[in-house]
Amino acid sequence: MRASVIGSGSFGTALANVLAVNCEQVGLWGRDDALAESINTRHENSGYLPGIPISPRVQATTSLEAALEGSELVVLATPSHATREVMAHALPYLPRQAPLVTVAKGIENETLLTMTELLEDCLPEEYHPYIAVLSGPSFARELAQRMPTVVTIASHWDKVALRCQKALRTETFRSYTSNDVVGVQYGGALKNVIAIAAGIADGLGMGHNARAAIITRGLAEITRLAVRKGGNPLTLSGLSGMGDLVLTCTGELSRNRHVGMELGRGRSLKEILGDMKQVAEGVKTAKSARDLSREVGVELPICDQVYAIAYEGKSARAAVVELMTRQPKSELM
């Protein structure tokens, strides 16, 4: 079997390493010639995963045609805001009747589309049945180091999810299948915004009680929106909901929590992002969450405050006071 990964960042490279266990060759596309050479000659992604061996079966390239040639499974691992552009260039070379698995955890700002909806919007209809999404608690570095990792793969067509599950199965990587494409994606996208909130609380030194409250009430927000959009509430208690939320709100490797911590310490968003090499998806998703909240009439108070802090210069302490002094209500409302 031959597979392809579009996006040679940390997560794309880590998944290419996983696919290499069951595939004879994995094409890995990225924009950086020097990075591709590092992967092909030294078997190391020196830019994103330094010090971690990459399988010699992974062949990196800056040519989409070469990366996708003969592929029987395609993983789309570009950041959410770049997916539409990259897919426009990839379309002439995309294999037909091969699963297309998106791993980006975001919601497009302009259209408020999830990643599978975006793919349906920019790809011909013949590709739509083969679209799937992979999500769950999975830091790229730990995945690449072959530490035990468990995720969810969702598709409207069970056969596609099962094909992906088989290709990605190793001794240290396990996946469960689902047909709740909506719930899996809203869990994966919005947890990043809640992780920024948790990081803000940590940056302010507000303690473990506050972090636990943000995780719990954040899950309530994610579930409300996912259900309104047609998701199954049980999905949000699983790997792509609670599992991913806990990891991203507490893990030291979380980019979104890092952004929040720095915001809590008083730094500007522009300054924080200027120091980061990798994307923190929750920054752009905070805007999408705010817009979705208004569009569908679902309250997302934590997400709203993250947006206000990040984009409107609101004081983090003022945001916390506003959340704590909201009108009293029943927990289950």
Side-chain angles (χ1 to χ4, degrees):
M1 182 177 180
R2 189 180 192 280
S4 304
V5 178
I6 306 303
S8 58
S10 56
F11 199 70
T13 304
L15 276 179
N17 230 15
V18 172
L19 284 165
V21 174
N22 297 316
C23 297
E24 293 178 7
Q25 187 177 4
V26 181
L28 177 62
W29 175 85
R31 302 179 191 268
D32 189 329
D33 286 314
L35 191 61
E37 183 181 0
S38 168
I39 293 170
N40 291 337
T41 60
R42 298 196 298 275
H43 305 298
E44 176 189 19
N45 186 326
S46 54
Y48 293 96
L49 293 171
I52 298 178
I54 305 300
S55 170
R57 294 183 177 184
V58 176
Q59 295 294 305
T61 177
T62 55
S63 164
L64 283 164
E65 182 177 10
L68 291 165
E69 184 179 5
S71 183
E72 298 168 73
L73 185 148
V74 179
V75 173
L76 310 175
T78 55
S80 61
H81 64 270
T83 299
R84 186 180 291 274
E85 175 205 348
V86 172
M87 293 312 296
H89 294 297
L91 179 56
Y93 315 113
L94 275 182
R96 288 169 172 77
Q97 299 181 342
L100 305 174
V101 190
T102 175
V103 300
K105 298 175 180 179
I107 298 169
E108 193 175 40
N109 283 161
E110 297 78 14
T111 63
L112 303 184
L113 297 177
T114 63
M115 291 299 99
T116 61
E117 291 170 335
L118 184 155
L119 291 174
E120 290 174 352
D121 188 52
C122 66
L123 294 178
E125 192 171 347
E126 64 182 296
Y127 290 96
H128 295 187
Y130 298 93
I131 294 172
V133 56
L134 181 153
S135 192
S138 49
F139 284 148
R141 175 162 287 274
E142 293 187 1
L143 176 59
Q145 291 173 322
R146 303 189 186 279
M147 295 184 180
T149 303
V150 186
V151 300
T152 301
I153 298 173
S155 175
H156 293 300
W157 190 9
D158 290 343
K159 183 178 179 180
V160 169
L162 289 168
R163 284 175 65 183
C164 297
Q165 183 184 50
K166 181 178 179 180
L168 288 160
R169 184 180 181 183
T170 75
E171 291 182 349
T172 59
F173 190 84
R174 178 178 176 84
S175 61
Y176 289 87
T177 60
S178 170
N179 60 10
D180 185 11
V181 174
V182 172
V184 166
Q185 288 184 96
Y186 277 101
L190 294 183
K191 60 88 183 178
N192 287 325
V193 185
I194 304 302
I196 293 176
I200 290 170
D202 287 344
L204 289 169
M206 291 190 164
H208 299 296
N209 293 351
R211 184 196 294 171
I214 288 169
I215 292 172
T216 308
R217 294 310 302 165
L219 181 63
E221 290 189 19
I222 297 170
T223 303
R224 279 200 299 270
L225 183 58
V227 170
R228 178 64 63 89
K229 298 294 285 186
N232 184 336
L234 292 177
T235 298
L236 284 307
S237 65
L239 290 163
S240 57
M242 176 58 80
D244 209 0
L245 179 64
V246 169
L247 179 73
T248 313
C249 287
T250 62
E252 297 299 323
L253 295 174
S254 169
R255 297 192 292 271
N256 293 284
R257 177 173 175 265
H258 168 76
V259 168
M261 289 181 69
E262 295 303 306
L263 285 170
R265 291 166 178 162
R267 296 180 69 198
S268 71
L269 181 63
K270 182 178 180 180
E271 183 184 7
I272 297 164
L273 298 182
D275 290 341
M276 295 177 65
K277 182 172 183 177
Q278 300 187 62
V279 174
E281 290 275 18
V283 174
K284 289 185 178 293
T285 306
K287 183 180 185 303
S288 296
R290 193 280 305 260
D291 293 344
L292 276 167
S293 173
R294 295 178 177 181
E295 180 179 274
V296 303
V298 172
E299 282 193 338
L300 304 176
I302 298 174
C303 292
D304 285 346
Q305 295 298 338
V306 170
Y307 174 85
I309 294 167
Y311 288 95
E312 297 176 348
K314 187 172 187 175
S315 159
R317 289 193 180 276
V320 172
V321 170
E322 191 168 324
L323 284 171
M324 293 296 290
T325 56
R326 292 175 69 240
Q327 183 69 27
K329 58 188 291 187
S330 168
E331 182 179 12
L332 300 183
M333 288 179 63

